[in-house]
Amino acid sequence: NPPRWALKWLRERLVGEPKRHDRRIYVSRADASMRRVANESDLIPLLAERGFETLLPGELGLQDQLRAFAEAEVVLGPHGAGLANLCASSRATVIELQRRDDFRAAYFAQANAQGLEYWYLLCRPVGRWNLRVEIAEMERTLDAAGID
């Protein structure tokens, strides 16, 4: 549970103040060995309709990752290391995808410490580590969070 002042200090040192706060980012784990979204090919079109871009952190350098999160209005993605860049966000709404059988509160604590709005969607487990997003539930969550 990091203190707000420490996250602010870190954000200021790493990225500074961005010129925009309008990006909607879906953080994919397609290149990860676990916590992947099994039906990502169904999810991405829905998100694209709502203005989301897909970000694969492993394809970007650290500065580009941090800049994307700093410029984000919304950050959505499955629980995992890809969300560690939330430290660069100052105004984003966070929507974390979590397995129903393995809820982890680390990014809730971080978002809370930063004063970010936090939502989560509990997803059906697939295999030992992956998850499946129910598209209708994702639509309801986006609507409830005011992301049209």
Side-chain angles (χ1 to χ4, degrees), residues 37-141:
V37 175
N39 63 330
E40 190 171 76
S41 62
D42 298 327
L43 178 62
I44 289 176
L46 164 69
L47 297 176
E49 287 175 12
R50 296 197 187 213
F52 281 82
E53 59 185 280
T54 299
L55 183 84
L56 198 57
E59 293 181 348
L60 301 173
L62 179 59
Q63 282 301 317
D64 290 332
Q65 291 177 47
L66 292 170
R67 186 177 310 106
F69 276 73
E71 295 174 347
E73 166 191 19
V74 182
V75 174
L76 184 151
H79 178 84
L83 294 181
N85 292 312
L86 279 174
C87 66
S89 299
S90 63
R91 300 183 192 175
T93 295
V94 178
I95 302 174
E96 185 175 12
L97 306 174
Q98 297 248 13
R99 285 172 53 114
R100 291 179 181 156
D101 63 345
D102 189 29
F103 187 84
R104 297 173 183 240
Y107 294 116
F108 165 74
Q110 184 175 341
N112 187 53
Q114 290 175 243
L116 304 177
E117 184 174 352
Y118 177 89
W119 294 76
Y120 65 88
L121 177 60
L122 296 178
C123 301
R124 188 164 36 117
V126 174
R128 184 170 178 181
W129 295 107
N130 300 326
L131 56 88
R132 177 179 180 79
V133 176
E134 297 302 328
I135 300 302
E137 290 180 21
M138 181 82 263
E139 288 179 303
R140 284 190 293 276
T141 301

